[in-house]
Amino acid sequence: MNDFIVKGIDGIDDSLIEEAMNYKRTRKPIYIAAGAVAAIAVFSAVMLNILRITEPTVPTVDGGAQTDDSYSGGGTNYGEDGKIILSDAKVSFTGTAITAEEIREIIEREKVTIASFIRHETPGAGDINISLVGYSHLQTDNNTISLDFVTLPVFTEDRLIGEVTLFRYDGEIHYSPAAGGPGWEVKTGIFDQNPDSELAFVYVGQLSEYMIAPDNTVYGMWEGESPLDDVPDCYTKYATEYNTFSFNKMIADKNYVTVPADVSNITLQ
Amino acid sequence: MDDKDIVSLYWERSESAIAETDRKYRSLCMRIARNILNDNSDAEECTNDAYLAVWNNIPPKRPEHFAAFVCRIVKNLALKKYEYIHAVKRNPDAQVSFDELDGLADNTDIEKLCSSKELGEKISDFLQSERQVNRVVFVRRYWFFDSPKEIAKRCSMTENAVNALLMRMRNRLKEYLRKEGVFDE
């Protein structure tokens, strides 16, 4: 044992100790069986009786959830230096893309419940908009995009406040809203910096979502190094029509529905 | 009860100070001690000793970070006890945690280049330059001696990711300390 180093670490600032003591990363992904929620009196009753957990949740960022079954939990390869080894394979696709008609149908049917949930996690949100277009994610462990999953941004007049992920499972399309936590501010900032760009969305390893701009700038939810930094021309390598999204194009095309602030089908406790 | 109120109770020499400390921090203290000692009864003894030590130190001290103050005392007592306990009873997680740190310094003369207090400040500076989640993972592993599995649960990560992150951080810390002149070139 290196006593000196141990003593050094023992002498770190109290604030660091308390930070580590109190830290717990919370996530709020919930899977909801489409069509199962109607007018519900008590939100906790929704949680207990109506919501269906259909498969494991794999978190990506605070407040978000990766629901992609192509996710290779435990399969991430690490090099001797601890860095994630990215796949060299060509991009491949699995599943069946969720069509625009299917998206519109489920969002029109469930928009109030989705908005109610997200409003509960975002006090003072006002009118809530749910995009009718979104993006799948490329999983860099195997360079695969599962088309059975698509993520739709949820936003207010001036910021992103959540997402809803649609996914095919057992012959039906289900939805999973996510909100709360500080990650949405980061993502809002990324969209603000790239309003017209078709950003490419990828998952790296088991935790991290990254967005790549056409100029190959890589944005993560955290500051610091990115496993994609060493990938030359990574936008060309990872961007496809299925995992790219432009916020301004969605707005310009009016490809979203709005749930007014006073509309809710859930009484929240 | 708020930490400042608990500290005030110590200053008033109220015996309820210890009861309130116990109510709020017993599970945390037990965990820290158990992580090092790997024994419930030793951890319990250590925790109770720590309360007495807190009582003896406040006053005159009025710690700004009371929780960290209590944790430090528990940890120091546990480490002292650790030295006297047969190796077979040591918590393998804590031992591995120590072993991981061995790679950080291979120069036996490093103590001549920097005091442990200065080293603590340098490590704090290094941690402050890291992302929050990195800081937490590092401190939970090497200050609290949590296992990678426990850290993974706390930080919503996998054990693989925790171990990889720790490896990268140790490498960065080693490089940082070398640049800071703690180690010989």
Side-chain angles (χ1 to χ4, degrees), chain A residues 155-227:
Chain A
F155 54 101
T156 61
E157 189 177 2
D158 60 352
R159 65 198 163 104
L160 187 76
I161 57 169
E163 290 168 350
V164 55
T165 298
L166 307 185
F167 57 101
R168 286 185 199 281
Y169 181 75
D170 212 14
E172 287 184 57
I173 296 178
H174 303 256
Y175 65 94
S176 163
W184 310 113
E185 290 177 24
V186 177
K187 246 181 174 175
T188 297
I190 296 167
F191 280 130
D192 284 348
Q193 289 178 62
N194 301 273
D196 298 311
S197 298
E198 294 270 354
L199 292 171
F201 291 77
V202 303
Y203 286 135
V204 179
Q206 302 177 23
L207 186 67
S208 303
E209 181 186 40
Y210 289 91
M211 284 134 277
I212 310 169
D215 65 359
N216 292 312
T217 302
V218 177
Y219 299 92
M221 302 305 292
W222 310 98
E223 291 180 8
E225 64 189 84
S226 155

Side-chain angles (χ1 to χ4, degrees), chain A residues 102-120:
Chain A
E102 287 173 318
I103 292 174
R104 182 172 285 279
E105 183 188 346
I106 192 168
I107 294 300
E108 285 290 356
R109 192 173 67 228
E110 304 294 341
K111 62 186 179 187
V112 176
T113 300
I114 293 169
S116 300
F117 167 79
I118 288 179
R119 184 170 291 118
H120 177 58

